[in-house]
Amino acid sequence: MKQSEIKELSTAELQEKLSDTKKAYVDLKMTHAISPLENPIQLRNVRRSVARLATELTKRDVQ
């Protein structure tokens, strides 16, 4: 997800999206451990999406 898309989401939507994305990351990691992914860059992209979502949530908590 892009940062502009993340800013438009509500806090509840962010939390839901974060948990879904974390689960997707764990699933991808497990799949990659068993047999290599066709596109291992997916791991990096999903991990960065998790970070973006978590950062936006933290930013909103601070404000």
Side-chain angles (χ1 to χ4, degrees):
M1 290 189 84
K2 294 189 177 189
Q3 193 65 26
S4 59
E5 296 171 353
I6 292 172
K7 287 182 180 182
E8 294 173 2
L9 298 174
S10 70
T11 304
E13 290 173 328
L14 273 175
Q15 290 172 339
E16 182 181 333
K17 196 79 161 160
L18 180 62
S19 65
D20 292 344
T21 309
K22 280 184 178 181
K23 184 182 179 323
Y25 178 66
V26 170
D27 292 344
L28 272 176
K29 246 172 86 170
M30 293 300 283
T31 303
H32 186 63
I34 295 169
S35 64
L37 291 174
E38 188 174 315
N39 184 7
I41 301 301
Q42 284 177 311
L43 288 169
R44 182 190 319 160
N45 293 337
V46 174
R47 187 175 64 238
R48 288 180 180 178
S49 291
V50 168
R52 284 187 189 103
L53 291 165
T55 300
E56 183 63 27
L57 273 174
T58 303
K59 183 176 158 187
R60 290 182 186 190
D61 286 343
V62 169
Q63 290 179 349

